[in-house]
Amino acid sequence: MGDLKQHSLIKAQERLRDQVGHALRAALIAGELRPGSVYSAPGLAAELGVSATPVREAMLDLAREGLVEPVRNKGFRITEVSERDLDQYTELRTMIEVPTIGRITKIATPEQLEELRPIAEEIVTSAREHNLIGYLEADRRFHLTLLGLAGNDRLVETVGDLRKRSRLYGLTGLDEAGKLVSSAEEHIELLDLMISGNAEAAEECMSRHLGHVRSLWAQGRDEPVGRTPGRLGSGI
């Protein structure tokens, strides 16, 4: 029984770590944690109302994703992404995803593609409801599930990593201006083209979508985040 109690405690700690990680990602997206700034685990823990341990563990998870970097005796610095980085990430994603979309259009069944429609609609709904976390989570699931139809797990992992490293900052201003909805609707357009079997048009749509996302990212860097830097929302 003692082992079971210990196992239950470990599970509870893991869940808290995941919750903290979710809250920190939300703060990154909203611009509450600013690129180049250093944050201590105890300081973040105090704002989130938890102990420093799950915060430190969650930050180490983010460090493995390239979102933060440890700073000796100080905490963690939010990594900065340059325009050059963004251009290179977008170029890589274009090289990988555009031809893969064309290939999937030719080999996937309409039924397989149609299964993704609820996720595409969820992206649009999240954009319209100003749910940024929901928007990005649904967007991630849509793209990685769609690419998974190509049958190459390493390809999906690579794109997943590129997506994490080119995460969006300052989406709050873009959302308030209604600029995310048009990007969200491109997912339904892409799906319809693929279901119709038009591989060339699907590739063009995917290329345009990636360019649109890159443009939104650049605009977001100049938008006010609309919240006080360094103060986290209640994510736990």
Side-chain angles (χ1 to χ4, degrees):
M1 290 300 292
D3 290 342
L4 290 178
K5 288 182 179 179
Q6 184 178 13
H7 179 72
S8 178
L9 178 60
I10 291 172
K11 287 295 184 183
Q13 291 172 337
E14 289 176 350
R15 285 194 293 270
L16 182 57
R17 173 182 183 160
D18 291 340
Q19 290 174 25
V20 169
H22 182 78
L24 293 174
R25 285 183 177 86
L28 278 167
I29 292 166
E32 295 168 350
L33 296 178
R34 306 303 298 269
S37 297
V38 177
Y39 299 88
S40 70
L44 292 173
E47 292 195 41
L48 293 171
V50 298
S51 68
T53 298
V55 173
R56 193 171 290 108
E57 292 173 342
M59 292 297 268
L60 288 173
D61 289 338
L62 296 181
R64 282 189 284 272
E65 297 174 12
L67 301 180
V68 303
E69 55 185 8
V71 178
R72 186 177 179 85
N73 299 324
K74 290 186 177 181
F76 297 86
R77 177 183 291 109
I78 309 302
T79 55
E80 299 183 84
V81 182
S82 68
E83 295 295 329
R84 176 182 169 85
D85 291 331
L86 290 174
D87 287 337
Q88 291 180 348
Y89 293 147
T90 302
E91 181 180 6
L92 285 171
R93 286 191 61 188
T94 299
M95 291 172 63
I96 295 171
E97 294 183 64
V98 171
T100 301
I101 287 298
R103 183 158 63 91
I104 292 171
T105 300
K106 297 175 182 178
I107 65 175
T109 66
E111 291 75 19
Q112 287 177 311
L113 294 169
E114 193 64 46
E115 288 179 358
L116 290 166
R117 189 170 298 277
I119 307 178
E121 293 173 345
E122 182 182 344
I123 297 170
V124 176
T125 299
S126 295
R128 289 175 177 166
E129 294 180 351
H130 315 290
N131 179 0
L132 300 184
I133 300 299
Y135 172 89
L136 290 179
E137 173 57 24
D139 181 78
R140 182 191 66 81
R141 284 189 286 118
F142 178 88
H143 284 282
L144 297 188
T145 303
L146 180 59
L147 292 173
L149 295 177
N152 188 329
D153 294 340
R154 301 291 83 78
L155 182 150
V156 175
E157 286 181 8
T158 298
V159 173
D161 182 65
L162 289 170
R163 288 176 60 88
K164 290 174 182 176
R165 295 179 182 277
S166 59
R167 73 280 185 194
L168 304 181
Y169 282 118
L171 279 183
T172 304
L174 292 174
D175 169 58
E176 291 172 349
K179 295 179 180 179
L180 288 182
V181 175
S182 58
S183 178
E185 291 174 341
E186 288 175 347
H187 297 83
I188 294 177
E189 178 188 355
L190 174 64
L191 200 57
D192 288 340
L193 289 170
M194 296 181 74
I195 290 173
S196 71
N198 193 336
E200 183 178 351
E203 288 186 4
E204 189 280 329
C205 180
M206 187 65 207
S207 178
R208 172 163 40 88
H209 177 66
L210 288 173
H212 188 189
V213 170
R214 172 65 180 91
S215 175
L216 287 175
W217 209 107
Q219 293 174 49
R221 292 167 71 92
D222 299 326
E223 292 281 353
V225 299
R227 300 185 186 181
T228 303
R231 294 297 302 172
L232 302 188
S234 56
I236 302 298

